[in-house]
Amino acid sequence: MYKGRIECSGVGKKYGDFTALKNVDLLIEAGDFLVLFGPNGAGKTTLLKILCGMTRPTSGVAKVGGADSHSPEIRGKIGVISHKSYLYDSLTAFENLEFYGQMYGLENPRARAGELLETVELAQRKDDMVRSFSRGMTQRLSIARALVADPDFIFLDEPFTGLDHHSAVAFQALLSALHKRGKTVLMITHDIPLGVAASTRVAILKNGRKVFDEKTDGLGGDKFMKTYLEVAGK
Amino acid sequence: MKNTLLSARAVLMKDLRTEWRTREFLGHTFMFALLVIVIFNFAFKINPQNAPGFASGILWISFLFAGTLGLGRSFLVEKENDCIQGLALSPVDRTAIFLAKFAGNLIFLLIIQVIVVPAFIVLYNVNVMENFFMQCLVFLLGDVGFMTLGTLIAAMSVNLKAREILLPVLLLPLLTPLLIFAASATASLVGGDDPSAYLGRIRLLAAFDVIFFVVSLLVFEYIMDEL
């Protein structure tokens, strides 16, 4: 079932002389929730950028939903949530979602914007400028932005950055709900307890290589923390 | 093609709406362009003999300075919260983003010109718009070439730390031939020269525009990949 699957085969990426990724093989099945851990500079964000078509690998093949990750048609099936919101401060919450709806070619972006604002509980603030939003509200709106085209794949890069504990837990609940709806999720985080709790699989990248990849079943947060420190801390 | 134009319109409307709310671009560039023509008014003694050359030079310098200032900002708004990545992630044809930014920059420069040219006529008492339609055509062709190349270079330099310096350093040498033809065509029109004096330059301006536009459309996708 290629529709919701992500495949990396021998993926490498170089920036000049610096090698960010080396020969990474990764298979994420449809409906998986994979959390990618690793120390800073391990190549996690580079891998995510390759998978969402923001940059091309220098070697290997990255496929999302059976298509080259750089193809425009697959970009429409991916929603990306980062610690940067990709939202315009000088536009209202509604205008931001309407704009992204137009960019994804929706037939009725205004209706979709309204619906998503209800989903992330920001309908009452729809006419407020994003610059007036708290970090937690901005991140909720960022989720709405990523969901504007109802994507099959959701990629998250450090989504908990700057969120207080309460907002992080609420955010995680939203993610779990999305995962239950059959979305394939790939998340990068340094928050091991939250990441392990949300995931169905965990992997560790170190120095551009995949050094660990297992199902989360039976792998508690504490046990994984030890594994992480052993593997990534060497 | 229809989708590309619809996406371009969405980006353009978003940019115009943002500018209308912040008025960052128009306020600064208008004051800057006006300042240039006011300072030159005190520096030069313009008489009917030297009016064509001076008028053309002063006007195009003010357009160049104001336009370059605006170009720097056109992609900078997309750096806010990394919105440029949000655009790059959307499934739109990248040329839609180029077309929108180009159109936005062109509209802003035209607005500046609509204000600066009458101010120039009043300050210098030189009617640069005597041959109204031809002069408008020269301005438009010059603007299109300037903004096509400028939009491309602005996109290339947006991630650079020294972008404010690098944008004019990269842009001006490439723009020099176009500016020479535009300024000399304007001078010929102000001086009331024979049409043969400016029609050739207008054709060259049109040729530059076509070349710049086609090359920019072809190259822009690769630039977006690196943003």
Side-chain angles (χ1 to χ4, degrees):
Chain A
M1 184 173 153
Y2 290 107
K3 194 175 167 279
R5 184 194 264 189
I6 298 168
E7 293 170 271
C8 291
S9 176
V11 167
K13 178 74 182 176
K14 283 189 171 188
Y15 294 102
D17 291 335
F18 174 71
T19 304
L21 282 177
K22 291 174 207 160
N23 203 24
V24 172
D25 293 322
L26 188 69
L27 179 66
I28 308 173
E29 292 292 350
D32 262 1
F33 192 136
L34 178 85
V35 177
L36 199 55
F37 296 99
N40 291 330
K44 307 181 295 294
T45 300
T46 303
L47 181 62
L48 194 131
K49 279 186 171 180
I50 289 171
L51 289 173
C52 61
M54 281 157 80
T55 188
R56 293 175 198 266
T58 37
S59 60
V61 179
K63 286 189 173 183
V64 177
D68 184 286
S69 64
H70 211 78
S71 60
E73 59 270 23
I74 208 67
R75 285 206 301 267
K77 293 177 182 172
I78 299 172
V80 178
I81 301 163
S82 156
H83 53 282
K84 296 282 183 77
S85 67
Y86 307 160
L87 297 168
Y88 296 91
D89 285 344
S90 305
L91 297 182
T92 65
F94 184 85
E95 287 167 347
N96 265 289
L97 295 186
E98 184 190 15
F99 169 66
Y100 277 107
Q102 290 167 334
M103 296 305 284
Y104 280 80
L106 302 189
E107 278 190 16
N108 193 347
R110 293 179 67 84
R112 181 67 176 152
E115 187 185 312
L116 284 168
L117 284 166
E118 294 282 352
T119 306
V120 295
E121 297 174 9
L122 284 172
Q124 293 197 328
R125 300 289 304 267
K126 76 184 184 88
D127 294 324
D128 291 349
M129 299 285 174
V130 167
R131 75 164 75 92
S132 70
F133 281 14
S134 68
R135 172 79 185 133
M137 288 162 71
T138 306
Q139 200 61 330
R140 265 151 56 203
L141 189 61
S142 188
I143 295 178
R145 175 197 50 73
L147 297 178
V148 81
D150 195 18
D152 295 329
F153 303 92
I154 297 175
F155 296 162
L156 305 105
D157 187 5
E158 305 283 3
F160 301 116
T161 305
L163 292 182
D164 58 38
H165 182 70
H166 177 75
S167 302
V169 170
F171 183 81
Q172 192 192 9
L174 251 172
L175 281 182
S176 296
L178 288 170
H179 178 231
K180 279 177 189 155
R181 280 171 51 199
K183 312 282 182 195
T184 307
V185 185
L186 170 62
M187 179 163 78
I188 293 171
T189 181
H190 287 292
D191 193 322
I192 290 176
L194 276 177
V196 172
S199 65
T200 58
R201 252 176 78 197
V202 286
I204 300 173
L205 277 188
K206 187 187 175 189
N207 296 332
R209 289 182 188 278
K210 191 179 76 174
V211 292
F212 182 88
D213 186 352
E214 267 191 29
K215 291 203 172 208
T216 317
D217 290 344
L219 195 71
D222 290 344
K223 191 179 167 192
F224 180 71
M225 179 72 91
K226 280 181 192 163
T227 310
Y228 177 78
L229 290 174
E230 278 170 23
V231 175
K234 278 178 193 168
Chain B
M1 187 63 189
K2 190 187 166 198
N3 285 344
T4 303
L5 292 177
L6 284 173
S7 305
R9 190 182 70 173
V11 177
L12 176 63
M13 295 312 290
K14 181 267 297 170
D15 282 351
L16 294 177
R17 186 179 276 165
T18 306
E19 176 55 30
W20 178 250
R21 285 185 183 148
T22 60
R23 292 187 182 84
E24 282 178 15
F25 172 86
L26 273 178
H28 296 151
T29 47
F30 167 66
M31 285 311 295
F32 191 75
L34 206 60
L35 200 63
V36 169
I37 63 167
V38 169
I39 288 170
F40 281 150
N41 187 36
F42 287 104
F44 299 136
K45 294 278 176 275
I46 295 184
N47 54 50
Q49 283 73 42
N50 65 21
F54 274 123
S56 167
I58 293 166
L59 276 175
W60 277 103
I61 284 174
S62 68
F63 299 159
L64 179 69
F65 285 176
T68 308
L69 261 184
L71 283 169
R73 205 191 117 63
S74 65
F75 278 91
L76 217 53
V77 291
E78 305 296 344
K79 291 293 289 176
E80 171 189 76
N81 298 331
D82 238 354
C83 289
I84 190 81
Q85 301 293 1
L87 286 184
L89 285 165
S90 64
V92 295
D93 186 350
R94 305 282 160 91
T95 52
I97 299 168
F98 175 80
L99 290 173
K101 292 294 175 185
F102 159 74
N105 287 329
L106 185 64
I107 288 169
F108 289 136
L109 185 59
L110 288 171
I111 292 170
I112 296 290
Q113 287 174 332
V114 164
I115 300 165
V116 165
V117 172
F120 177 90
I121 293 169
V122 171
L123 270 174
Y124 289 80
N125 199 22
V126 175
N127 187 5
V128 291
M129 300 305 289
E130 209 162 279
N131 197 338
F132 185 81
F133 290 107
M134 290 311 278
Q135 195 67 275
C136 283
L137 181 65
V138 170
F139 285 160
L140 189 65
L141 289 173
D143 293 351
V144 167
F146 177 18
M147 288 300 134
T148 304
L149 203 56
T151 303
L152 187 73
I153 306 275
M156 284 167 67
S157 58
V158 70
N159 274 341
L160 303 175
K161 280 182 183 165
R163 59 180 162 262
E164 286 85 0
I165 298 165
L166 280 171
L167 174 62
V169 166
L170 294 170
L171 178 63
L172 295 183
L174 295 169
L175 215 52
T176 304
L178 181 124
L179 285 172
I180 289 170
F181 291 124
S184 59
T186 297
S188 290
L189 284 163
V190 176
D193 292 353
D194 191 74
S196 61
Y198 54 79
L199 284 178
R201 287 161 195 156
I202 289 175
R203 279 191 212 106
L204 279 167
L205 279 176
F208 268 110
D209 288 358
V210 171
I211 294 166
F212 286 165
F213 201 78
V214 171
V215 169
S216 298
L217 282 181
L218 293 174
V219 169
F220 190 73
E221 181 169 355
Y222 298 98
I223 292 173
M224 280 295 285
D225 275 355
E226 299 305 320
L227 291 179

